[in-house]
């Protein structure tokens, strides 16, 4: 066993003494040591219950004959960090999470690990560490929040972000806003729609790194506790067989995960996280692969924010296994999973338990919600290296759009103009210098997009940025524009009034400015001074790659 490095032999007597000081017995010294990687904290709704899941995981490990050791990582709530300077810290936290898991597991030589994350950057940080360490690993994602009920209607956090614009536009009373504030977010779990956290949970299950049904089992459901115990037991089986993470995640399982992502209409942030995860598993994943798979994958379930269904509806319809059963003839079925079975065997088991997944919630490939998947990759003179949009959340009439650019060099400036009703139908809002280097940290832009939606402009105004959009964003919102403004990409050269052309079916993002004019502007352009000159974000700005490469450290 790998843990023998810290507990076997004469020279390890000091190590055994230290282990005994935390309560271990001689009998436990002969058992596998399992790291329980927990991102519990008291800040994030998606994480406030993970201490209970960790107890269940540890119970499962002990039942199966292992010794659990729990430790923690940091975790940032994107919703609380949204719309202000705090959001600069969100994406960069992914690298610290991966690094911290690597250091803890490497130093203490655990034989395997069960990872317990829930939210946006935390799940990918854990997955990146799993690929880097390449030991047996299972992920227990914490589960979605139930939708809140306000005025007899289900609501979620996006209801609040859009309510800001509605209140500003006089469409909502103070009391209505207060009711939403008090009841829309009703307890533990990741926000109730298909935003980034729940998308990443579904992707994790589709990769084969979570037990079947884990992604959509809700935070308050006893099913989640049972899955946590089963995961704790299963990790011992993987350790005994020597099944490490890289035997689970392969090019084929990555394709499966992207296909599920396209079928559910997931967050555009997966186009950042999956390439970063693939890299840690020693695999390549170009941005173009998302578009290739999207073009041949139907969108099968219309969840929030693009539709009106919540994760609880997806769970009751069968969850990720039901989607994969619908897509079975398009998937690589012989891939391994942490269940110890192949994907085909898992789906065969699912069909026995759920012979007919709910067709009202999950459409069939023959009659899909949309013929193509959720994400489209646009390229053109404004985004030579690519950009991404959640096309499944775009109104049909905005799939093609041209309009004058309204240029803002920060999210705050754009939000100010929106709230002062200075944005008109037809405008193309461009928010730049918010990329991985320019931010630094590539902030999500949920506040501007939600305000636009709340004001009733989401079907007439486009938003374009070298930053990111939340998984909760809907409408013609194009992010990850590469190269970013901070390194002189074309988005830095666009001016107020330039006509921008968007053709989502044609996968084009262009500016109607001649190449000669753009070259003149390029010669006049000067790189901005760094916004941050000390601390982690200053280091991050120096090390981070472009968004089309997953915003990984060079």
């Amino acid at each position: 066993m790998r843990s023998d490095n810290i507990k076997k032999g004469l020279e390890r007597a000091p190590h055994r003494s230290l282990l005994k000081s935390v309560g271990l017995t001689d009998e436990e010294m002969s058992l596998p040591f399992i790291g329980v990687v927990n991102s519990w904290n008291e800040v994030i709704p998606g994480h406030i219950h993970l201490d209970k899941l960790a107890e269940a995981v540890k119970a499962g490990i002990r039942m199966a004959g292992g010794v659990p050791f729990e430790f923690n990582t940091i975790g940032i709530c994107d919703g609380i960090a949204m719309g202000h300077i705090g959001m600069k810290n969100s994406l960069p936290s992914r690298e610290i999470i991966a690094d911290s898991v690597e250091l803890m597991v490497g130093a203490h030589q655990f034989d395997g690990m069960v990872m317990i994350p829930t939210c946006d950057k935390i799940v990918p940080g854990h997955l990146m560490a799993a690929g880097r360490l390449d030991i047996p690993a299972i992920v227990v994602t914490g589960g979605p929040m139930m939708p809140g009920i306000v005025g007899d209607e289900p609501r979620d956090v996006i209801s609040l972000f859009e309510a800001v614009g509605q209140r500003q536009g006089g469409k909502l009373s103070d009391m209505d806003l207060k009711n939403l504030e008090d009841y829309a977010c009703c307890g533990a779990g990741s926000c109730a729609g298909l935003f980034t956290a729940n998308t990443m949970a579904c992707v994790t299950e589709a990769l084969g790194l979570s037990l079947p049904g884990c992604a959509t089992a809700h935070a308050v459901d006893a099913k989640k506790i049972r899955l946590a115990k089963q995961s704790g037991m299963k990790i011992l089986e993987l350790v005994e067989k020597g099944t490490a993470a890289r035997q689970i995640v392969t090019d084929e399982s990555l394709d499966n995960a992207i296909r599920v992502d396209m079928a559910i209409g997931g967050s555009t942030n997966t186009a950042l996280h999956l390439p970063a995860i693939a890299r840690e598993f020693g695999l390549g994943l170009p941005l173009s692969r998302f578009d290739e798979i999207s073009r041949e994958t139907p969108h099968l379930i219309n969840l929030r924010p693009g539709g009106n269904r919540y994760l609880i509806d997806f769970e009751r319809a069968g969850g990720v296994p039901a989607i994969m059963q619908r897509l079975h003839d398009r998937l690589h079925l012989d891939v391994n999973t942490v269940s110890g079975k192949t994907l085909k065997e898992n789906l065969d088991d699912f069909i026995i338990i759920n012979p007919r997944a709910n067709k009202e919630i999950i459409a069939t490939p023959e009659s899909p919600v949309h013929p193509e998947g959720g994400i489209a990759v646009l390229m053109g003179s404004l985004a030579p290296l690519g950009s991404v949009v959640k096309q499944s959340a775009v109104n049909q009439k905005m799939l093609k759009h041209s309009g004058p650019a309204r240029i803002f060099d920060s999210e705050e400036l754009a939000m100010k103009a929106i709230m002062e009703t200075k944005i008109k139908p037809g405008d193309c809002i461009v928010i730049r210098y918010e990329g991985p280097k320019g931010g630094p940290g590539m902030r999500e832009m949920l506040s501007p997009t939600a305000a636009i939606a709340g004001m009733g402009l989401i079907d007439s105004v486009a938003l374009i940025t070298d930053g990111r959009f939340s998984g909760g964003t809907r409408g013609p919102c194009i992010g990850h524009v590469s190269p970013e403004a901070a390194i002189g990409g074309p988005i830095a050269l666009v001016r107020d009034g330039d006509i921008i052309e968007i053709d989502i079916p044609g996968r084009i993002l262009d500016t109607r400015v001649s190449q000669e004019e753009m070259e003149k502007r390029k010669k006049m352009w000067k790189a901005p001074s760094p916004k941050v000159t000390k601390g982690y974000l200053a280091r991050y700005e120096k090390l981070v790659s472009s968004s089309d490469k997953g915003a990984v450290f060079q």
Side-chain angles (χ1 to χ4, degrees):
M1 288 187 293
R2 174 182 158 111
S3 60
D4 288 349
N5 291 331
I6 65 169
K7 64 187 182 184
K8 288 290 180 71
L10 173 63
E11 68 278 17
R12 296 296 181 252
H15 305 67
R16 290 193 294 273
S17 181
L18 289 166
L19 289 166
K20 288 179 178 179
S21 77
V22 300
L24 263 65
T25 65
D26 285 326
E27 291 78 8
E28 287 175 303
M29 293 294 179
S30 64
L31 302 176
F33 283 7
I34 306 299
V36 178
V37 188
N38 194 353
S39 290
W40 171 86
N41 64 46
E42 294 182 334
V43 181
I44 314 176
H47 288 237
I48 58 172
H49 64 303
L50 298 189
D51 54 339
K52 306 299 188 299
L53 285 188
E55 291 302 320
V57 167
K58 289 186 286 186
I61 291 169
R62 293 187 183 105
M63 283 192 289
V67 183
F69 293 87
E70 183 180 356
F71 65 91
N72 285 81
T73 78
I74 64 167
I76 288 173
C77 179
D78 278 24
I80 296 172
M82 192 73 68
H84 55 84
I85 196 169
M87 179 48 77
K88 292 177 183 287
N89 299 281
S90 175
L91 182 60
S93 73
R94 186 187 72 181
E95 317 311 306
I96 284 186
I97 291 166
D99 290 349
S100 67
V101 176
E102 175 195 359
L103 293 172
M104 284 292 290
V105 173
H108 301 107
Q109 293 291 287
F110 297 129
D111 298 300
M113 56 185 176
V114 181
M115 316 181 89
I116 313 176
T118 303
C119 291
D120 303 38
K121 310 308 163 301
I122 305 162
V123 174
H126 282 237
L127 297 185
M128 290 164 68
R132 191 182 302 173
L133 289 160
D134 193 28
I135 64 172
I138 295 180
V139 182
V140 181
T141 49
M145 183 189 296
M146 292 293 291
I149 303 298
V150 184
D152 294 330
E153 295 291 334
R155 292 288 185 262
D156 58 31
V157 70
I158 304 306
S159 305
L160 265 300
F161 277 100
E162 294 190 359
V164 172
Q166 292 169 342
R167 181 67 192 92
Q168 184 69 14
K171 300 176 182 178
L172 203 68
S173 71
D174 287 338
M175 181 58 72
D176 289 336
L177 182 61
K178 183 66 164 56
N179 283 336
L180 282 169
E181 180 182 319
D182 287 349
Y183 301 115
C185 299
C186 63
S190 45
C191 299
L194 189 65
F195 316 137
T196 303
N198 291 323
T199 300
M200 285 306 306
C202 293
V203 163
T204 302
E205 184 177 330
L207 278 172
L209 285 173
S210 290
L211 292 179
C214 184
T216 58
H218 276 49
V220 296
D221 193 336
K223 176 182 176 182
K224 182 65 76 176
I225 297 291
R226 295 194 297 271
L227 282 163
K229 287 182 183 176
Q230 291 163 358
S231 297
M233 297 172 70
K234 188 63 68 173
I235 192 65
L236 272 298
E237 181 181 314
L238 297 181
V239 168
E240 182 180 350
K241 292 179 178 178
T243 305
R246 291 192 180 195
Q247 293 170 260
I248 305 293
V249 176
T250 62
D251 287 322
E252 290 75 21
S253 60
L254 279 167
D255 275 0
N256 286 347
I258 296 171
R259 199 171 298 281
V260 167
D261 183 18
M262 297 304 114
I264 63 177
S267 165
T268 53
N269 280 311
T270 56
L272 276 177
H273 298 320
L274 276 173
I277 292 163
R279 180 175 180 260
E280 298 292 357
F281 278 87
L283 305 169
L285 182 57
L287 186 60
S288 59
R289 189 69 182 132
F290 287 83
D291 202 63
E292 291 166 7
I293 293 176
S294 183
R295 285 184 179 276
E296 60 185 32
T297 304
H299 177 213
L300 298 180
I301 184 166
N302 212 12
L303 298 167
R304 294 269 293 166
N308 59 0
R309 299 288 187 179
Y310 291 80
L311 259 290
I312 189 61
D313 299 305
F314 189 17
E315 161 68 3
R316 289 168 178 164
V320 171
I323 283 282
M324 297 188 91
Q325 192 274 329
R326 292 273 201 271
L327 297 169
H328 72 277
D329 59 348
R330 304 164 193 245
L331 298 171
H332 301 283
L333 296 174
D334 57 349
V335 296
N336 297 317
T337 73
V338 293
S339 71
K341 300 179 180 181
T342 65
L343 175 60
K344 181 181 185 305
E345 291 170 326
N346 285 342
L347 293 182
D348 287 345
D349 290 345
F350 171 75
I351 291 170
I352 292 170
I353 299 168
N354 291 281
R356 292 184 301 277
N358 188 327
K359 292 183 182 180
E360 181 184 350
I361 305 299
I362 303 175
T364 63
E366 296 74 29
S367 184
V369 179
H370 297 106
E372 290 187 351
I375 292 175
V377 177
L378 313 186
M379 303 184 79
S381 61
L382 194 55
L385 297 180
S387 61
V388 295
V389 63
K390 186 189 280 193
Q391 62 174 344
S392 58
V394 179
N395 187 295
Q396 188 76 18
K397 69 180 182 180
M398 288 296 287
L399 291 175
K400 292 185 178 183
H401 176 75
S402 64
R406 298 292 308 279
I407 306 297
F408 303 96
D409 286 350
S410 72
E411 178 185 1
E412 286 82 1
L413 291 172
M415 189 64 178
K416 185 173 184 291
I418 293 167
M419 297 302 285
E420 292 176 354
T421 65
K422 293 181 179 178
I423 302 301
K424 306 302 179 189
D427 284 348
C428 291
I429 298 172
V430 176
I431 306 174
R432 62 191 182 188
Y433 296 105
E434 291 285 8
K437 287 184 177 294
M442 202 179 183
R443 287 193 284 181
E444 286 184 341
M445 305 290 171
L446 178 57
S447 293
T449 62
I452 285 287
M455 290 179 172
L457 295 171
I458 201 65
D459 294 331
S460 61
V461 170
L463 294 94
I464 300 158
T465 183
D466 53 6
R468 302 179 293 130
F469 289 118
S470 163
T473 291
R474 62 187 177 96
C477 302
I478 302 166
H480 308 196
V481 171
S482 298
E484 64 173 292
I487 61 172
I491 192 171
L493 311 177
V494 181
R495 296 177 180 173
D496 268 319
D498 289 347
I499 299 300
I500 291 176
E501 296 184 340
I502 300 166
D503 181 353
I504 294 174
R507 304 304 200 256
I508 293 169
L509 179 62
D510 272 340
T511 178
R512 201 183 297 168
V513 178
S514 69
Q515 186 63 36
E516 293 77 15
E517 174 62 21
M518 291 293 274
E519 288 173 1
K520 288 180 185 177
R521 296 181 187 180
K522 178 71 172 177
K523 290 176 182 176
M524 298 168 59
W525 178 81
K526 293 182 179 180
S529 299
K531 295 176 183 175
V532 180
T533 58
K534 62 182 179 180
Y536 177 65
L537 288 180
R539 299 201 303 277
Y540 182 87
E541 185 271 332
K542 290 181 172 65
L543 294 171
V544 71
S545 71
S546 64
S547 56
D548 65 294
K549 298 293 191 296
V552 296
F553 280 173
Q554 305 279 13

